[in-house]
Amino acid sequence: MKTRGALLWKPGTNSGWSIEDIDLDPPRPDEVLIELVASGLCHSDAHLDTGDIPLPFAPVLGGHEGAGVIVEAGDHATGLEVGDHVVTTFLPSCGRCRWCALGMSSLCDVGAGVLGGKAPDGTNRIHVDGQPVGAMSFLGTFSPYVVAPVSAVIKVPKEIPLDKAALLGCGVPTGWGSAVYAADTQPGDTVVVVGTGGVGIHAVQGARLAGATTIVAVDPVEFKRETASKLGATHVAESIADAMSLVADLTDGVMADKVILTAGVGEGNLVGPCSLLTRKGGTTVITSAAPAMQAEVSLNLLDLTMSGKRLQGALYGQCNARADIPKLLGLYKRGELMLDELVTNTYSLDDINTGFTDMMEGRNMRGVIVYD
Ligand SMILES: NC(=O)c1ccc[n+]([C@@H]2O[C@H](COP(=O)([O-])OP(=O)(O)OC[C@H]3O[C@@H](n4cnc5c(N)ncnc54)[C@H](O)[C@@H]3O)[C@@H](O)[C@H]2O)c1
Ligand SMILES: [Zn+2]
Ligand SMILES: [Zn+2]
């Protein structure tokens, strides 16, 4: 079919997204065609443009945080049918690999290929003037139609508004799980979230729901700190340096049980300060995506060893999409997980570059493209 999509012709060059007419192949047996209602704008797509996350493939259709309705289902699209409301998850789970079997589907072997530009079977569904086009996360939700593998599609209840459900494709589980699973937040904990944007705000919500009693939101942007305060942060700071004395005061010098790094870019010089904010035996979770070629981290290793601290990486918040997306939507329906307030601006596909500028300039919790 003919449709449109936002492409990066030269990823890594800060050239922005261009809207092109694209050809989309029909779904193969284990795929579905989804008519999208909305797609979130995540910082990970911006990383493709800046080059922090390099791609082996160009051009590429961006977007990985979508929600919509299935309009065509392949013959082996088990459990999915035309008319189903679905969320696309940026991390598929095959259900068969060792990691899926262990309940660690965020590390799925199929998911390991999401930045390869191709569908899991190594082919392309998208073309422009006959040229193959890569797809972010096997998806490419910056188009009103997406052909997605069943492994990346989660059925959701029809009463959930799809323009909010889209956030479940990445930002919500990534942030929530960073606090609940990767940090293992316990009742009474002091938790610091560094960077309370589209991902970090859900770490604040996860920490609150897990029973943390002191939650410090660190963000240079006032609007982010205000939003974090409304959604569970008990204290705010403009910088890690400011948080250092605040957290020392709040904990009688013990420091935070858990610190979660969800700033826009995982700069190596943020790791040491985050670890210093963490108490003896505590955990520092690194969720931010770092520039791929960055190999240096500033960290006081003697403090890490002598204080028995843990540094924990977290992909997709260590969530299992098939279990956690329905659970999170249940919390949303009960009014315990906020989503509506976090879609701060909506855009047409043609205005996608404005959406990313708004993200970079701190105007959005989440910007969302809404399709007609
Ligand atoms: N690990 C994963 O599975 C995963 C999944 C999705 C996104 N990510 C990554 O998480 C990061 C956050 O994504 P997002 O969509 O929330 O981005 P965002 O731009 O919406 O939010 C980033 C926030 O960090 C703040 N910030 C920037 N520098 C800071 C600093 N030095 N100290 C404190 N706050 C700072 C910004 O003001 C902003 O509010 C990105 O690197 C993204 O690629 C990781
Ligand atoms: Zn994302
Ligand atoms: Zn798997």
Side-chain angles (χ1 to χ4, degrees), residues 180-348:
V180 173
Y181 298 134
D184 190 24
T185 298
Q186 297 294 314
D189 271 356
T190 294
V191 177
V192 181
V193 180
V194 178
T196 52
V199 170
I201 195 65
H202 301 291
V204 170
Q205 299 209 77
R208 169 174 53 79
L209 286 160
T213 40
T214 305
I215 303 172
V216 181
V218 182
D219 203 295
V221 179
E222 188 179 7
F223 153 65
K224 309 289 179 117
R225 298 194 299 274
E226 283 171 7
T227 308
S229 297
K230 287 180 194 151
L231 271 64
T234 55
H235 301 79
V236 295
E238 283 183 40
S239 65
I240 299 180
D242 287 356
M244 212 67 82
S245 50
L246 172 66
V247 173
D249 284 348
L250 290 169
T251 60
D252 290 330
V254 170
M255 306 308 277
D257 299 290
K258 315 284 157 60
V259 175
I260 300 162
L261 178 61
T262 41
V265 181
E267 288 161 10
N269 61 10
L270 297 175
V271 176
C274 284
S275 182
L276 289 178
L277 269 175
T278 309
R279 68 155 164 85
K280 287 194 276 189
T283 302
T284 311
V285 174
I286 310 295
T287 296
S288 298
M293 300 315 289
Q294 171 187 276
E296 286 173 8
V297 160
S298 76
L299 179 68
N300 188 320
L301 272 183
L302 187 63
D303 172 60
L304 189 85
T305 302
M306 294 300 171
S307 303
K309 295 179 181 178
R310 184 181 297 116
L311 265 188
Q312 175 69 56
L315 182 60
Y316 202 63
Q318 298 182 343
C319 282
N320 288 288
R322 280 190 201 285
D324 285 308
I325 288 181
K327 183 194 282 185
L328 287 162
L329 287 173
L331 288 167
Y332 169 70
K333 280 203 293 191
R334 290 171 60 91
E336 293 182 41
L337 181 86
M338 308 301 161
L339 295 182
D340 298 356
E341 336 13 41
L342 298 177
V343 177
T344 36
N345 271 307
T346 58
Y347 305 88
S348 68

Side-chain angles (χ1 to χ4, degrees), residues 93-97 100 108-110:
S93 44
C94 74
R96 290 186 295 271
C97 75
C100 284
C108 174
D109 283 340
V110 174

Side-chain angles (χ1 to χ4, degrees), residues 42 44 64 170:
C42 173
S44 298
H64 57 279
C170 175

Side-chain angles (χ1 to χ4, degrees), residues 30-32 34 36 64-67 70 80 86-95 108 110-111 114 120 136-141 146-156 168-170 316 321-322 325:
D30 58 348
E31 297 176 344
V32 292
I34 305 165
L36 291 175
H64 57 279
E65 202 182 67
I70 295 182
L80 296 172
V86 293
V87 166
T88 62
T89 156
F90 92 89
L91 256 175
S93 44
C94 74
C108 174
V110 174
V114 288
M136 173 62 160
S137 287
F138 302 147
L139 298 167
T141 59
V146 61
V147 170
V150 168
S151 56
V153 177
I154 311 289
K155 187 171 166 177
V156 299
L168 273 294
C170 175
Y316 202 63
R322 280 190 201 285
I325 288 181

Side-chain angles (χ1 to χ4, degrees), residues 46-196:
H47 284 305
L48 305 183
D49 194 16
T50 62
D52 288 340
I53 299 179
L55 286 175
F57 207 93
V60 65
L61 173 65
H64 57 279
E65 202 182 67
V69 180
I70 295 182
V71 289
E72 193 178 337
D75 290 343
H76 300 151
T78 313
L80 296 172
E81 57 188 44
V82 171
D84 281 350
H85 288 204
V86 293
V87 166
T88 62
T89 156
F90 92 89
L91 256 175
S93 44
C94 74
R96 290 186 295 271
C97 75
R98 171 181 175 178
W99 316 106
C100 284
L102 285 169
M104 303 163 77
S105 69
S106 63
L107 300 178
C108 174
D109 283 340
V110 174
V114 288
L115 295 175
K118 312 236 180 202
D121 66 2
T123 59
N124 293 84
R125 296 293 162 279
I126 309 151
H127 294 82
V128 60
D129 294 330
Q131 183 182 353
V133 174
M136 173 62 160
S137 287
F138 302 147
L139 298 167
T141 59
F142 295 161
S143 163
Y145 291 91
V146 61
V147 170
V150 168
S151 56
V153 177
I154 311 289
K155 187 171 166 177
V156 299
K158 289 196 170 149
E159 66 269 23
I160 306 279
L162 287 168
D163 57 333
K164 312 299 184 306
L167 307 194
L168 273 294
C170 175
V172 182
T174 299
W176 184 84
S178 294
V180 173
Y181 298 134
D184 190 24
T185 298
Q186 297 294 314
D189 271 356
T190 294
V191 177
V192 181
V193 180
V194 178
T196 52

